[in-house]
Amino acid sequence: MIFGASGDLTQRKLFPALYALAYRNLLPPQFGVVGVARSDMTLDEFRERMQAAVEEHARDEFRENVWEQLADGLRYVRADLADAEDDEGIVAALNDLDAARGTGGNRVYYLAVPPSAIEPIVLQLGRRRATGGWTRVIVEKPFGHDLESARQLNEVVRSYFDESEIFRIDHYLGKETVQNMLVLRFGNGIFEPIWNRQFVDHVQITVSESLGIEGRASFYEQAGAIRDIVQNHMLQLVALTAMEPPIDFDADSVRNEKVKVLRAVHTPGPKHVVRGQYGPGYIEGDEVPGYREEPGVTPDSMTETYVAAKLYVDNWRWADTPFYIRTGKRLPRRETTIAIQFKRAPHPPFELDAGEELRPNVLLVHVQPDEGVSLAISAKVPGQGMTIRPVHMDFLYGGAFRVGLPEAYERLILDCMLGDATLFTRADEVEEQWAIVDAMVAPWKRDRPHFPNYAAGTWAPAAADELLQRDGRSWRGR
Ligand code: NDP
Ligand code: BG6
């Protein structure tokens, strides 16, 4: 059952993912979907909308027989569980599916609704839990608005559902390249011995998007970049980069190690956090409006669309090694990368050309696009003399495996149906993430930066550059 069935996420991600699973015969024949939203729609209209969504966004060609199999199990219910005990239609649709397809009372409730609608829906669902079969609840991010609301939401959800039934989704964890961080680190012998403060100079994590807010003003005005990306995707990337090897690849072993990292993150002071908001500018030659001119945004909005910060993970492995993070909308390109910059070779035994110096090695994990891993090393330019240039040793998914990468939601929806929570966020993990974010935003109540402070299509505020320049470093890939 998908709450939020008329929404953006359902159309752009969830139905295309379900279609990809059906396309590969990964869904059981009994599978069916009840869509729930407040919008008035007939079942035929709902089917048409979802078909159009699949045709537009699925990664596979559209096949009538695959779609028919999915469409047959669709139901649509107009209901507003946040306002009323409006669930007669829901119960009837579920009973109907149970009878028609033999779903045996097994339920996944996917809450693809705005954060404010989650708690009331959970309350209603919890009070009317089905007795037969298993029940699982997927809750979209951001889980809460701050530490206090996340704790309260955790309390509500856990008073009706066991932790093993709660799947707090962060779709970054479903990305192949993010999962590959664990294999890169713990499936290879050569990286771990140097993956620490003795060899690593610093880490840079970038989640940049050229997109703006895509009509999601009501959500984004509340969230901003810090709650939309830093609290979840970004801190998960930090945790996966910094964590110790788990003893097993099961849900608790992996999450225990991530929580330790989050607990060790030193609260950055105001000087170590930069925020920004885009003004008008150009993306790939096209003129785009500033954030304050986006439909639904107030003309004096102080919502940040960019955040950069310097974090420290205070433990033996990482003490004094900065983790620089940055994320923003309307930056020049879409790119998510984790860059591990190693310390420079201590002494060049050869004479370098004037003005040249040895470049440090950098291990670059390209989360997206051009998914892969590359290692920057120094090499001698062929010919007389000793001219040195950085070159890259590359692994590209496209070249190595020759299969399309699955979308994160495919993996995560299937894992949830199989009851595997390894790639979902545990209650304590979410709360630790909020504790970091709450500390970062606390000083924001006191000062009003001059927004907008970067033009769309540029690499963000000067203060973000200064954050690294003060440490004698600079952001990669400008
Ligand atoms: P939208 O605003 O596009 O959709 C929200 C959906 O929730 C609509 O279908 C709306 O339908 C429904 N809804 C709202 N209130 C209620 C209610 N009280 N009862 C039943 N249905 C309700 O948002 P998105 O789809 O973009 O986002 C949904 C969630 O997914 C958010 O938490 C967001 O953070 C998360 N998310 C979104 C991503 C994206 O790319 N869009 C990516 C990752 C996470 P109606 O008005 O018809 O009721
Ligand atoms: C979502 C955010 O969680 O992630 C969006 O709400 C953002 O604002 C999206 O655009 C980015 O996801 P991806 O998979 O395109 O990097």
Side-chain angles (χ1 to χ4, degrees):
M1 173 166 283
I2 301 179
F3 288 89
S6 59
D8 178 69
L9 181 71
T10 303
Q11 295 178 62
R12 278 198 312 112
K13 298 289 183 184
L14 303 187
F15 263 86
L18 290 174
Y19 177 82
L21 294 176
Y23 191 91
R24 289 165 183 75
N25 287 320
L26 291 169
L27 295 177
Q30 298 93 327
F31 184 85
V33 183
V34 182
V36 183
R38 296 166 308 185
S39 307
D40 255 329
M41 254 189 288
T42 63
L43 177 55
D44 281 344
E45 282 165 346
F46 181 55
R47 282 198 176 120
E48 276 163 28
R49 264 168 94 158
M50 295 308 118
Q51 177 174 342
V54 166
E55 283 174 342
E56 187 177 349
H57 300 292
R59 66 184 173 109
D60 304 299
E61 65 190 328
F62 185 78
R63 285 200 192 148
E64 203 68 42
N65 60 331
V66 177
W67 172 247
E68 284 307 320
Q69 178 199 337
L70 251 186
D72 220 33
L74 292 195
R75 303 288 183 274
Y76 180 76
V77 179
R78 200 213 72 80
D80 183 356
L81 286 198
D83 261 5
E85 301 188 354
D86 190 8
D87 71 344
E88 261 174 47
I90 291 178
V91 174
L94 287 172
N95 289 343
D96 172 39
L97 269 186
D98 275 345
R101 299 180 78 93
T103 40
N106 294 335
R107 315 263 193 258
V108 174
Y109 296 109
Y110 197 124
L111 306 192
V113 292
S116 56
I118 285 176
E119 193 174 318
I121 293 177
V122 168
L123 278 171
Q124 301 286 351
L125 289 178
R127 288 192 193 128
R128 289 165 183 73
R129 281 194 62 136
T131 41
W134 47 255
T135 297
R136 288 171 195 143
V137 190
I138 303 183
V139 186
E140 261 300 340
K141 51 128 299 236
F143 190 89
H145 186 76
D146 53 15
L147 178 57
E148 199 188 327
S149 59
R151 275 193 183 137
Q152 190 192 327
L153 188 54
N154 270 329
E155 219 169 275
V156 171
V157 188
R158 285 157 101 183
S159 57
Y160 294 105
F161 301 96
D162 185 73
E163 182 64 34
S164 62
E165 297 175 315
I166 307 166
F167 291 73
R168 297 172 195 79
I169 202 163
D170 179 324
H171 77 278
Y172 264 54
L173 295 178
K175 289 183 189 277
E176 280 292 330
T177 37
V178 173
Q179 292 165 51
N180 191 47
M181 268 306 274
L182 294 176
V183 179
L184 180 77
R185 292 190 52 198
F186 307 130
N188 292 295
I190 60 168
F191 296 119
E192 267 323 277
I194 53 170
W195 205 267
N196 56 51
R197 64 191 301 272
Q198 263 141 32
F199 294 91
V200 174
D201 178 73
H202 72 277
V203 176
Q204 283 187 24
I205 303 182
T206 302
V207 178
S208 84
E209 296 184 272
S210 54
L211 287 179
I213 54 163
E214 305 300 295
R216 295 163 72 211
S218 63
F219 161 73
Y220 204 85
E221 277 281 88
Q222 302 295 316
I226 192 116
R227 292 179 174 85
D228 189 35
I229 303 282
V230 175
Q231 189 272 340
N232 32 79
H233 307 327
M234 190 65 113
L235 288 177
Q236 284 293 328
L237 296 181
V238 171
L240 287 167
T241 307
M243 72 193 260
E244 295 299 316
I247 49 168
D248 249 321
F249 191 61
D250 64 36
D252 274 329
S253 307
V254 172
R255 297 189 294 183
N256 287 345
E257 296 307 332
K258 284 194 290 168
V259 168
K260 283 189 211 159
V261 173
L262 295 166
R263 266 195 207 134
V265 170
H266 182 99
T267 306
K271 275 203 201 129
H272 293 165
V273 182
V274 173
R275 56 185 160 143
Q277 185 192 76
Y278 63 83
Y282 291 85
I283 296 282
E284 288 175 3
D286 292 332
E287 198 169 358
V288 295
Y291 178 71
R292 289 175 174 181
E293 288 91 53
E294 298 275 10
V297 173
T298 50
D300 57 351
S301 170
M302 290 304 291
T303 302
E304 78 291 346
T305 59
Y306 178 95
V307 176
K310 175 160 88 163
L311 306 177
Y312 285 105
V313 179
D314 286 341
N315 60 19
W316 270 57
R317 189 189 278 263
W318 294 115
D320 303 325
T321 312
F323 281 65
Y324 299 102
I325 61 172
R326 62 178 162 164
T327 183
K329 298 266 187 206
R330 289 288 191 223
L331 299 183
R333 60 173 181 267
R334 175 174 187 248
E335 174 195 315
T336 298
T337 356
I338 303 171
I340 317 292
Q341 179 153 330
F342 293 93
K343 291 185 175 163
R344 242 178 258 276
H347 170 71
F350 16 73
E351 259 186 44
L352 298 172
D353 291 348
E356 255 197 282
E357 55 174 12
L358 284 183
R359 301 272 185 92
N361 299 113
V362 183
L363 185 73
L364 278 163
V365 177
H366 299 283
V367 174
Q368 63 191 23
D370 305 327
E371 291 82 357
V373 178
S374 93
L375 179 66
I377 55 175
S378 294
K380 177 181 174 305
V381 177
Q384 301 296 318
M386 188 56 84
T387 308
I388 294 176
R389 289 272 177 280
V391 293
H392 285 88
M393 297 202 307
D394 288 329
F395 146 59
L396 278 170
Y397 277 81
F401 297 117
R402 300 190 184 282
V403 287
L405 291 180
E407 280 286 327
Y409 284 93
E410 295 168 31
R411 168 71 192 253
L412 296 174
I413 291 172
L414 200 56
D415 276 5
C416 173
M417 289 195 279
L418 295 169
D420 182 351
T422 310
L423 300 177
F424 292 82
T425 326
R426 206 168 55 189
D428 52 348
E429 212 175 340
V430 166
E431 290 179 12
E432 291 297 341
Q433 289 172 326
W434 277 120
I436 297 166
V437 164
D438 279 5
M440 286 167 80
V441 301
W444 292 5
K445 290 180 195 119
R446 291 192 298 270
D447 66 280
R448 268 179 86 82
H450 186 69
F451 278 172
N453 57 356
Y454 70 101
T458 65
W459 278 111
D465 289 338
E466 287 153 20
L467 181 70
L468 270 74
Q469 279 158 8
R470 285 201 294 268
D471 297 344
R473 300 184 175 106
S474 59
W475 292 108
R476 292 189 49 75
R478 301 295 296 264

